[in-house]
């Protein structure tokens, strides 16, 4: 057996074994399994005695996890989703990256490092990890919500911005390393070249691939071969990722994301996602192992000041800027806190930036080590931040001045965008009992259809203005607004409504909506949904009368289906 294969088997066996052990221990003591995976990586890294895994091979395996993860995100993150949040994702990502970069430069210069090293430190601290963001959003159930959409869109913009930097560095790096100035012509040419490469990548994958991929997938599906279908999905993921990196100097992650968007346009996107889940989860664990291997506690002891200052930028400055930007742009405090918590960490692109700068002799080993230590600590702490987000929002609600500032733009936006629709809802005279529906996704649509069949008049309250406009064009009652605001529910007629149906999956948002509705009316019947049974106490305390739990409904439906099968089998 070759040495290379032996190293591979060692990494998989020992790495997965330790990840399982420490992930289980972390979960048992109330921490995220991510903390256990990072600890396992540290144990097999070069800074601990005993077995030391092949760092380069582990990084390559981690790249596989990033490719599969980003491909899966692209499957379900269509262009409409990105355009829907472009108004907050683009300015937010730019302002957050700029603020973190400026803080990184100031900190580095103050601590004796060069301006260029500060630039790399700031850029590295500004970029969050895709793997961590998606994991914490999925674990908290916020990935399919508007909060998760904003966070993912924000990160996509950050990734594109980082790719531009990676394309620019080889062009301007030698001049920076030699200390020579960079001419305006050189900078314009470098930027133009980077934009052209990204535009070509976009056109090749999205435009041309978008026409060819559905046809190819249809032909593969017609063969009725599960192996060929899985192979096709993997081939698309890796070919787009590698092609983006080696032909267009983009990242593996961005290429895989675009490939996923192309497959996502086809009718087999859900099956493609299902095929990738086991592989994606396994290789995502290898990513956390690779980060843990880079952790050097000795550097933390030798340079505590620069590490502490850098961590403050990540867990304080970045979230603060995020909350300010999201609130100013008129989104809810829940969205602001969710995005802030999910982006308060440092990720894989930071390592790529640092490695590029180090190879071009633009930064010292210290800057690379700072980013590694900050990534290790912030990734381990990020699930904790996300878990405390509801408490942070509850605390903000108790601060009248702060809460008024956080919600001022949102209420102003709701008033300006929804005033016409709200007036129609108020002025509509009907003898039918009225029911308010929070959210108009698949669950909201089915609820509205049921209410109409039973002679009730549904009023939809949604944060998607396009949905509200379409419903009003169809002659249905709908208004724009945040259902956690009493003023919005009163405008929808909550004080006289017979019932309030909350279809949003976010338990914190559902609890806030239930509380607002109960404050409007003591007699209104409140229905809510939740993913997990342990959310019952929170929703009951908020005022919900009836709660449907997704895991309980699935268990009941599955049991009923099996019982029917057994009865039919017995009858035969």
């Amino acid at each position: 057996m070759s040495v290379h294969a032996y190293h591979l088997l060692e990494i998989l066996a020992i790495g997965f074994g330790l990840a399982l052990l420490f992930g289980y221990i972390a979960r048992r003591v109330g921490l995220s399994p991510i903390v256990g995976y990072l600890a396992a990586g540290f144990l097999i890294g070069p800074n601990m005695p005993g077995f030391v895994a092949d760092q380069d091979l582990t990084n390559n395996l981690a790249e596989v996890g990033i490719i599969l993860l980003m491909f899966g995100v692209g499957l379900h993150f269509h262009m409409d989703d990105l355009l829907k949040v472009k108004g907050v994702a683009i300015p937010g990502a730019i302002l957050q990256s700029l603020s973190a970069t400026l803080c990184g430069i100031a900190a580095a210069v103050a601590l004796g490092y060069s301006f260029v090293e500060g630039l790399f430190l700031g850029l590295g601290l500004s970029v969050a990890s895709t793997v961590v963001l998606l994991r914490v959003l999925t674990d908290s159930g916020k990935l399919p919500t508007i909060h998760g959409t904003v966070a993912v869109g924000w990160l996509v913009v950050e990734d594109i911005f980082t790719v531009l930097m990676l394309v620019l560095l080889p062009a301007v790096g030698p001049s920076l390393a030699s200390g020579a100035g960079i001419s305006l012509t050189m900078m314009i040419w470098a930027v133009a070249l980077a934009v052209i490469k990204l535009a070509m990548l976009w056109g090749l994958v999205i435009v041309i691939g978008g026409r060819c991929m559905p046809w190819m997938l249809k032909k593969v599906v017609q063969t009725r071969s599960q192996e060929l279908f899985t192979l096709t999905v993997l081939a698309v993921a890796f070919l787009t990722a590698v092609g983006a990196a080696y032909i267009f100097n983009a990242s593996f992650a961005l290429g895989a994301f675009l490939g996923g968007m192309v497959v996502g346009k086809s009718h087999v996107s859900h099956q493609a996602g299902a095929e990738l889940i086991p592989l994606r989860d396994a290789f995502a664990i290898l990513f956390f192992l690779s980060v843990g291997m880079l952790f050097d506690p000795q550097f933390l002891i030798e340079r505590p000041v620069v590490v502490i200052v850098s961590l403050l930028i990540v867990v304080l400055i970045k979230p603060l800027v995020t909350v300010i930007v999201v609130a100013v742009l008129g989104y809810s405090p829940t969205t602001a806190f969710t995005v802030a918590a999910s982006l308060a960490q440092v990720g894989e692109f930071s390592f790529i930036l640092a490695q590029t700068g180090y190879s071009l002799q633009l930064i010292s080993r210290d800057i690379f080590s700072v980013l590694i230590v900050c990534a290790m600590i912030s990734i381990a702490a990020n699930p904790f931040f996300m878990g405390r987000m509801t408490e942070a929002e509850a605390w903000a609600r108790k601060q009248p001045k702060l809460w008024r500032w956080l919600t001022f733009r949102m209420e102003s936006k709701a008033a300006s965008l929804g005033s016409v629709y709200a007036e129609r809802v108020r002025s509509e005279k009907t003898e039918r009992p009225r029911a308010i529906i929070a959210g108009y996704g698949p669950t909201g649509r089915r609820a509205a259809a049921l209410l109409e069949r039973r002679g009730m008049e549904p009023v939809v309250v949604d944060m998607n203005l396009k949905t509200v406009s379409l419903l009003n064009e169809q002659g249905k009652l709908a208004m724009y607004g945040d259902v956690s605001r009493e003023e919005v529910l009163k405008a929808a007629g909550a004080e006289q409504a017979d019932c309030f149906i909350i279809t949003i999956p976010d338990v914190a948002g559902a609890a806030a909506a239930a509380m607002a509705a109960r404050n409007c009316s003591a007699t209104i019947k409140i229905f809510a949904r939740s993913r997990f049974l342990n959310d019952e106490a929170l929703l009951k305390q908020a005022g919900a009368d009836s709660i449907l739990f997704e895991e309980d409904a699935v268990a009941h439906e599955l049991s009923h289906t099996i019982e029917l099968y057994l009865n039919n089998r017995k009858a035969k």
Side-chain angles (χ1 to χ4, degrees):
M1 183 179 292
S2 67
V3 174
H4 181 77
Y6 185 62
H7 284 170
L8 173 62
L9 293 178
E10 280 183 329
I11 292 172
L12 294 178
I14 299 177
F16 281 140
L18 289 175
L20 171 62
L21 174 63
F22 284 92
Y24 174 78
I25 293 173
R27 175 62 81 180
R28 291 292 304 208
V29 299
L31 298 175
S32 168
I34 291 175
V35 179
Y37 304 153
L38 292 170
F42 173 61
L43 288 178
I44 61 174
N47 298 303
M48 287 292 287
F51 169 74
V52 176
D54 186 322
Q55 182 70 59
D56 292 334
L57 182 56
T58 305
N59 289 338
N60 287 334
L61 293 173
E63 286 284 5
V64 174
I66 295 171
I67 289 171
L68 294 175
L69 191 83
M70 287 304 293
F71 186 82
V73 174
L75 281 174
H76 306 291
F77 194 88
H78 303 305
M79 195 60 196
D80 291 342
D81 297 324
L82 184 57
L83 294 176
K84 187 190 304 181
V85 298
K86 67 180 186 301
V88 62
I90 294 176
I94 292 174
L95 288 173
Q96 181 192 265
S97 298
L98 182 62
S99 61
T101 301
L102 291 175
C103 289
I105 293 172
V109 171
L111 294 172
Y113 296 96
S114 68
F115 173 85
V116 175
E117 288 180 309
L119 178 64
F120 272 88
L121 176 63
L123 287 172
L125 296 176
S126 69
V127 185
S129 168
T130 302
V131 181
V132 176
L133 178 133
L134 293 173
R135 178 60 63 87
V136 297
L137 287 177
T138 301
D139 290 346
S140 62
K142 297 185 184 298
L143 186 59
T145 66
I146 183 63
H147 323 306
T149 302
V150 171
V152 174
W154 191 303
L155 187 59
V156 168
V157 175
E158 278 190 359
D159 286 351
I160 293 174
F161 178 71
T162 308
V163 168
L164 282 171
M165 295 297 102
L166 291 172
V167 175
L168 283 172
L169 282 174
V172 301
S175 298
L176 289 173
S178 63
I182 302 174
S183 66
L184 180 61
T185 303
M186 181 187 297
M187 181 61 69
I188 293 175
W189 171 249
V191 172
L193 183 62
V195 172
I196 290 171
K197 286 185 175 181
L198 286 178
M200 290 175 62
L201 173 62
W202 181 273
L204 182 64
V205 176
I206 298 297
V207 179
I208 299 177
R211 295 178 182 273
C212 301
M213 189 55 59
W215 175 84
M216 185 179 74
L217 287 171
K218 182 179 179 180
K219 294 295 183 183
V220 173
V221 169
Q222 288 174 348
T223 66
R224 299 183 181 276
S225 171
Q226 190 67 32
E227 294 83 2
L228 278 179
F229 179 78
T230 304
L231 181 59
T232 303
V233 174
L234 290 174
V236 172
F238 284 93
L239 285 174
T240 52
V242 174
Y246 289 101
I247 299 176
F248 298 98
N249 290 335
S251 65
F252 290 124
L254 182 61
F257 175 78
L258 294 177
M261 287 182 67
V262 171
V263 177
K265 293 180 179 180
S266 69
H267 61 284
V268 297
S269 59
H270 294 291
Q271 181 61 29
E275 294 292 333
L276 287 180
I277 287 176
L279 288 171
R280 181 198 67 190
D281 291 345
F283 282 98
I285 292 171
L286 289 171
F287 165 77
F288 294 113
L289 289 175
S290 69
V291 174
M293 289 175 64
L294 296 171
F295 180 61
D296 184 4
Q298 185 65 32
F299 180 82
L300 184 60
I301 298 172
E302 295 174 352
R303 302 282 194 278
V305 177
V306 66
V307 172
I308 292 172
V309 171
S310 298
L311 278 173
L312 288 176
I313 294 173
V314 174
V315 302
L316 188 62
I317 301 299
K318 284 174 62 176
L320 182 61
V321 172
T322 300
V323 169
I324 292 173
V325 171
V326 175
V328 167
L329 291 175
Y331 284 77
S332 70
T334 302
T335 301
F337 283 108
T338 300
V339 178
S342 58
L343 294 173
Q345 32 90 7
V346 178
E348 56 274 5
F349 268 7
S350 302
F351 309 150
I352 300 173
L353 273 171
Q355 287 170 344
T356 303
Y358 190 69
S359 64
L360 293 172
Q361 299 182 343
L362 297 176
I363 62 174
S364 63
R365 185 71 183 177
D366 278 8
I367 301 300
F368 186 83
S369 299
V370 169
L371 291 175
I372 296 299
V373 173
C374 286
M376 178 83 173
I377 297 174
S378 63
I379 287 173
N382 196 249
F384 172 82
F385 295 146
M386 182 60 74
R388 298 298 179 272
M389 187 205 65
T390 303
E391 296 176 12
E393 186 176 348
W395 173 84
R397 285 179 182 272
K398 297 177 182 178
Q399 317 301 318
K401 292 183 179 179
L402 174 61
W403 190 253
R404 280 198 299 271
W405 185 88
L406 287 173
T407 58
F408 171 75
R409 281 291 298 153
M410 181 189 69
E411 292 179 349
S412 175
K413 181 180 178 181
S416 61
L417 294 177
S419 59
V420 175
Y421 302 138
E423 180 59 34
R424 179 172 174 239
V425 170
R426 285 193 295 267
S427 62
E428 187 80 18
K429 301 299 181 183
T430 179
E431 296 182 356
R432 294 189 296 169
R434 178 167 287 183
I436 301 173
I437 301 176
Y440 200 66
T443 306
R445 288 193 291 272
R446 295 191 66 176
L450 174 62
L451 291 168
E452 288 176 343
R453 288 198 303 269
R454 293 305 181 98
M456 298 189 72
E457 183 177 52
V459 179
V460 175
V461 182
D462 198 278
M463 288 289 285
N464 188 330
L465 186 60
K466 185 181 295 185
T467 298
V468 173
S469 301
L470 182 61
L471 287 172
N472 276 271
E473 289 173 5
Q474 295 172 353
K476 299 178 180 180
L477 293 181
M479 59 177 288
Y480 174 90
D482 182 358
V483 289
S484 68
R485 307 300 299 163
E486 291 181 32
E487 296 81 2
V488 173
L489 292 180
K490 287 178 180 179
E495 292 169 308
Q496 295 80 34
D498 184 75
C499 63
F500 179 41
I501 302 171
I502 306 171
T503 69
I504 53 180
D506 176 25
V507 65
M515 191 178 301
R518 184 58 67 210
N519 291 336
C520 292
S521 171
T523 59
I524 190 172
K525 185 76 171 178
I526 301 175
F527 299 88
R529 63 178 281 194
S530 177
R531 295 178 63 199
F532 305 113
L533 291 166
N534 57 13
D535 293 331
E536 182 177 13
L538 174 62
L539 291 171
K540 285 287 187 182
Q541 186 178 4
D545 297 297
S546 181
I547 308 167
L548 177 64
F549 299 98
E550 294 178 19
E551 62 178 356
D552 184 52
V554 170
H556 179 271
E557 187 64 27
L558 182 60
S559 299
H560 178 66
T561 303
I562 294 173
E563 186 177 5
L564 288 176
Y565 165 74
L566 293 175
N567 290 337
N568 292 333
R569 186 172 180 270
K570 184 177 181 181
K572 292 179 180 179

